[in-house]
Amino acid sequence: MKFRSYSTALVVVALSLSACVETPSAQPNSDFGHLFVDVEEAFAVDWEANILVRGPATGGTVCDDTQCMPAHRVVDVEEVVSTEPEVAEVTGFETVSFGEVQFLSVALDVVGAGEATIELAFTVEGYEPEDAERDDEDRLIDSFSIEARDVASVDLSRVVSSDGKSPYRSCPATGSGIHLLDDLSSQKTLLRLEKRDDEGELLRGSGKFPFDIEPEEAAVVEDYDEVRALITLEPRQWGDIVLQPQGEGSALQMRYARFSEVLSTDTRLYAIDELGGRMGEVSELVVDYVYEVETRPNLPADQALCQGAGAVRVQTLTPAICDVVGWLETTGNPAVVGFYGGECHLEVELFSPGGTSTVVENWAYLVVY
């Protein structure tokens, strides 16, 4: 029997290892050319900030399991000051490590709009540049500038998938969405917190969550990743939660529901092209062609799924008529082929995220020549 379209669309699961490829080093961007500083964005007034600083490049690389980065000399910093404390105050500094890479982390309290210069006095073992600027104690000196702007609005949104095969592709970034869970323990939701000035430009800063949680006991903020502007929200009770901005901005609403409340599946059959791309929903199969079966929880029309799609098992109850022949590389969903004319019966089992709850349904499709 000839299967005409699915050989290129089915995937055999394999693992690929990332090669260790050197990332070219950028040029130093401090005032005297010794340091590499992450100060591309402006900072938000009345927020805290952490700036990562690397020392002079060695010309070599340092690698972990996934990538290689330019190697930098360790900077032994003895003093960090702000020349404009009315704009930004230095509240501390320390050496931090990310894998094999060390950084100097400078903590700031941004208190007013304007520009400030951050000056550092330091030494670097084995690094003696000619004609370098030094202070009275023969320490190297360098500096960098930051810009601080007033915050005009703060927006909160879900981190949603841009992947067309994700089961959460219909989840809105800011609209209402549902999170299906087995239980609330150890469950987290990732949100993006963005601060903007009066021209709509993104600003950098951390240390605050300027939203009221309603009801107050419904959730807590567990973590704030300043570099990626990510908030980790941990729900504490079932039902609707509204995150209401304390100033200018838009509210974010979400509903946490037990997966056991799902009573049926939304199972659909799609025709696909030779590359596994979806061409449209169908109600029957043509013999020898491959079709995609997608199963999701059946939810009210006004509720988009944002968490808790669960695992899916699909098997044929009529193997002489049709069968599951693999999984589509494009979506990860089961691929089904009809062999002979008749009625194809599929048993679909939808598991909750923790595998403790299931929904089982039978779906029938006509197979035609």
Side-chain angles (χ1 to χ4, degrees):
M1 179 174 293
K2 183 179 179 183
F3 297 155
R4 283 177 270 187
S5 63
Y6 67 86
S7 60
T8 58
L10 299 182
V11 60
V12 177
V13 178
L15 296 177
S16 61
L17 299 177
S18 299
C20 183
V21 179
E22 179 179 346
T23 302
S25 175
Q27 296 298 315
N29 58 342
S30 59
D31 294 335
F32 295 102
H34 303 300
L35 306 174
F36 296 72
V37 190
D38 68 327
V39 287
E40 289 79 11
E41 306 91 358
F43 292 81
V45 173
D46 293 331
W47 291 66
E48 300 171 1
N50 279 89
I51 300 174
L52 296 179
V53 180
R54 291 175 296 166
T58 66
T61 57
V62 58
C63 300
D64 58 19
D65 293 337
T66 60
Q67 64 178 339
C68 292
M69 298 179 62
H72 292 260
R73 298 180 184 274
V74 177
V75 178
D76 185 7
V77 177
E78 299 180 21
E79 186 177 7
V80 183
V81 297
S82 170
T83 60
E84 289 80 23
E86 70 279 4
V87 174
E89 300 175 351
V90 177
T91 57
F93 58 92
E94 63 177 342
T95 299
V96 296
S97 298
F98 298 95
E100 299 296 323
V101 183
Q102 285 191 325
F103 295 84
L104 172 72
S105 176
V106 178
L108 300 179
D109 190 3
V110 183
V111 295
E115 294 186 356
T117 299
I118 309 300
E119 294 184 345
L120 303 90
F122 58 95
T123 58
V124 181
E125 185 177 354
Y127 180 71
E128 295 293 337
E130 296 182 1
D131 301 324
E133 295 289 334
R134 296 179 179 272
D135 62 9
D136 294 340
E137 299 180 33
D138 199 35
R139 301 176 298 188
L140 291 167
I141 61 172
D142 208 338
S143 60
F144 58 88
S145 298
I146 69 164
E147 181 183 2
R149 302 176 190 169
D150 290 318
V151 176
S153 65
V154 180
D155 297 313
L156 193 63
S157 61
R158 291 183 187 84
V159 176
V160 297
S161 174
S162 59
D163 187 349
K165 66 183 181 182
S166 169
Y168 310 115
R169 58 182 175 271
S170 63
C171 176
T174 57
S176 178
I178 189 168
H179 301 252
L180 295 174
L181 309 172
D182 289 284
D183 58 71
L184 292 177
S185 61
S186 302
Q187 299 295 334
K188 298 176 176 59
T189 302
L190 200 59
L191 307 174
R192 177 166 283 109
L193 181 64
E194 295 182 335
K195 303 167 289 297
R196 298 182 182 272
D197 62 16
D198 56 7
E199 295 183 357
E201 295 292 327
L202 283 171
L203 301 176
R204 180 171 158 184
S206 65
K208 292 196 293 186
F209 184 67
F211 284 79
D212 293 324
I213 300 175
E214 301 174 357
E216 184 177 355
E217 67 279 2
V220 295
V221 174
E222 185 183 76
D223 190 30
Y224 185 5
D225 182 340
E226 177 199 348
V227 175
R228 296 183 295 169
L230 296 179
I231 294 285
T232 302
L233 187 75
E234 183 177 312
R236 293 293 175 86
Q237 68 180 35
W238 300 104
D240 293 316
I241 297 176
V242 179
L243 304 175
Q244 194 73 35
Q246 297 170 353
E248 292 294 326
S250 56
L252 182 63
Q253 182 174 348
M254 55 192 69
R255 178 174 179 80
Y256 289 95
R258 294 175 176 86
F259 194 94
S260 58
E261 297 177 22
V262 177
L263 301 178
S264 61
T265 71
D266 179 8
T267 296
R268 304 189 183 195
L269 188 68
Y270 294 94
I272 60 173
D273 59 26
E274 292 186 355
L275 298 178
R278 185 178 290 179
M279 295 194 298
E281 186 177 357
V282 298
S283 59
E284 61 183 25
L285 296 85
V286 176
V287 168
D288 289 356
Y289 281 86
V290 178
Y291 295 86
E292 173 189 0
V293 180
E294 181 178 71
T295 297
R296 302 175 66 192
N298 193 15
L299 303 173
D302 61 344
Q303 290 285 2
L305 183 64
C306 293
Q307 187 178 5
V312 175
R313 181 184 61 82
V314 178
Q315 67 178 10
T316 181
L317 300 179
T318 53
I321 303 296
C322 64
D323 201 359
V324 177
V325 294
W327 295 267
L328 292 171
E329 184 176 11
T330 51
T331 63
N333 288 330
V336 175
V337 171
F339 303 138
Y340 297 101
E343 201 168 61
C344 171
H345 289 264
L346 299 176
E347 183 179 81
V348 175
E349 187 171 10
L350 178 63
F351 297 86
S352 64
T356 61
S357 179
T358 60
V359 179
V360 180
E361 288 186 321
N362 293 335
W363 294 77
Y365 302 95
L366 188 65
V367 182
V368 298
Y369 288 96

